Amino acid sequence: ACTGVSGVGAAMTALARRFQPALVCATLGQEGSLALVGGTEIRTSGFRVPVVDTTGAGDVFRGGFIAAWLAGGDRTRVEDVLTYANAVAALKCRALGARTAIPRPGEVELLLATK
């Protein structure tokens, strides 16, 4: 809607051209996420969990993204940051409400270990 372009990838490219950020990212629900870094698309898969409520999943995705980025530092791979954020968002969907099922780091690590 912000770009007037249809399609997530095309919209991300338009945003990247206009604002020139290091990274543009879109969440794709149960399908995971898509990022554009230096003109390269990076797609990461979502996690299949029993879903009760998706309210707040995007917010906790962003929190998970920041947490993984800060924990990994400058050498962290974008794919790893996105995968961690996808896991956080998936686990949040286990219960009703925006904050009820926000996972602890150990829960996220356990889900990542099963992938």
Side-chain angles (χ1 to χ4, degrees):
C2 293
T3 63
V5 178
S6 63
V8 175
M12 290 173 58
T13 299
L15 289 170
R17 278 193 208 121
R18 181 171 179 193
F19 297 106
Q20 300 179 353
L23 179 141
V24 178
C25 183
T27 58
L28 305 173
Q30 68 180 1
E31 299 305 316
S33 58
L34 177 65
L36 184 63
V37 181
T40 301
E41 282 190 0
I42 300 169
R43 183 175 297 270
T44 53
S45 300
F47 291 85
R48 301 289 185 244
V49 298
V51 175
V52 174
D53 184 9
T54 61
T55 304
D59 295 329
V60 298
F61 174 90
R62 287 183 280 286
F65 181 98
I66 292 166
W69 182 20
L70 291 174
D74 292 338
R75 295 194 179 144
T76 301
R77 295 176 352 127
V78 173
E79 294 89 342
D80 295 337
V81 170
L82 294 170
T83 299
Y84 188 89
N86 290 341
V88 172
L91 289 171
K92 182 267 142 256
C93 297
R94 301 172 292 176
L96 188 62
R99 297 177 58 188
T100 308
I102 296 174
R104 299 214 177 269
E107 294 174 290
V108 178
E109 295 300 330
L110 186 61
L111 181 59
L112 290 171
T114 64
K115 186 169 186 176

